[in-house]
Amino acid sequence: MKIYDISQEVFGCCVFPGDPAPKKEILSEISRGSVCNLSALSMCTHNGTHVDAPYHFYENGKTVDQIDLERFIGAAYVAEHEGIVAAGDAAEILKKAQIASAESVKRILIKGKAVVSLEAAEVFADAGIYLLGNESQTVGPEDAPMAVHLKLLAAEVVLLEGIRLGEVCEGVYFLSAAPINLGGADGAPCRAVLIQFGDIR
């Protein structure tokens, strides 16, 4: 069994333009005579490796704590792509995932410097996948991400953004990317990992 950590370290993570960056406050230190080391954390729910819930773009959408954990945990397919993912690319990714493992087609992770077009989002949404992940801090184009988010989140496709797949080859893995249980939140950070082991079909 091999475990790939596909998460960013929080304090050095990428931050979407305009979002506040993570900050750590030291509350007590053993080296200064305290009985323990203690720190406080402040951050945006969309810093670093994180998930988007439908509530991020829909007033009545599900919040992070309302999403079934099955969407974040299970077989996943990693597909490599550079540039804009078009509708044909999305269909090809789904086809490859289906051939590799019928279960992995539910959770698609895109490796590379890639963003999803609206047309590709429609393909993924129509396929009824559970989760779509990518390495960018936003699944859609950074200068116009809204339409892609609206299409995917309306279909309750949860988004796993800001992952790191540099050491991961294309193929089937077991994904664990459960978000922190933040009641009523539009998104949440997570420690996403991929596990490679025997047949998980």
Side-chain angles (χ1 to χ4, degrees):
M1 179 178 74
K2 184 173 178 59
I3 299 175
Y4 295 92
D5 184 352
I6 60 170
S7 305
Q8 299 179 55
E9 186 280 318
V10 171
F11 295 112
C13 73
C14 292
V15 176
F16 189 80
D19 287 351
K23 294 181 181 178
K24 178 170 64 175
E25 179 186 1
I26 303 300
L27 302 179
S28 65
E29 297 177 273
I30 295 172
S31 64
R32 293 178 176 269
S34 299
V35 296
C36 66
N37 293 313
L38 182 65
S39 56
L41 165 69
S42 65
M43 66 183 296
C44 173
T45 53
H46 299 268
N47 288 158
T49 304
H50 67 279
V51 302
D52 286 2
Y55 183 61
H56 186 34
F57 277 88
Y58 287 99
E59 182 63 30
N60 296 316
K62 287 185 178 179
T63 54
V64 164
D65 54 309
Q66 295 173 328
I67 301 172
D68 192 329
L69 287 177
E70 182 183 5
R71 292 185 172 269
F72 305 102
I73 301 170
Y77 188 80
V78 174
E80 191 164 355
H81 188 86
E82 293 292 327
I84 297 173
V85 179
D89 301 319
E92 183 62 25
I93 288 170
L94 292 172
K95 180 180 178 181
K96 288 165 65 176
Q98 182 68 43
I99 292 171
S101 163
E103 182 66 20
S104 75
V105 77
K106 295 178 182 177
R107 302 169 194 87
I108 301 295
L109 306 180
I110 301 173
K111 174 182 177 177
K113 192 174 182 180
V115 292
V116 175
S117 68
L118 178 58
E119 294 74 20
E122 291 171 348
V123 172
F124 287 128
D126 290 345
I129 67 172
Y130 288 174
L131 175 145
L132 180 63
N134 71 327
E135 299 200 69
S136 171
Q137 289 305 115
T138 179
V139 68
E142 190 173 293
D143 60 346
M146 186 173 180
V148 172
H149 279 78
L150 289 173
K151 173 56 67 173
L152 292 167
L153 294 175
E156 297 197 351
V157 178
V158 293
L159 306 177
L160 175 59
E161 298 171 327
I163 53 178
R164 293 294 178 261
L165 299 170
E167 297 182 4
V168 182
C169 297
E170 284 196 340
V172 179
Y173 299 83
F174 187 89
L175 171 69
S176 176
I180 296 174
N181 192 6
L182 300 179
D186 50 274
C190 69
R191 183 71 179 266
V193 299
L194 288 175
I195 302 172
Q196 183 180 41
F197 55 138
D199 192 341
I200 57 173
R201 290 180 178 83

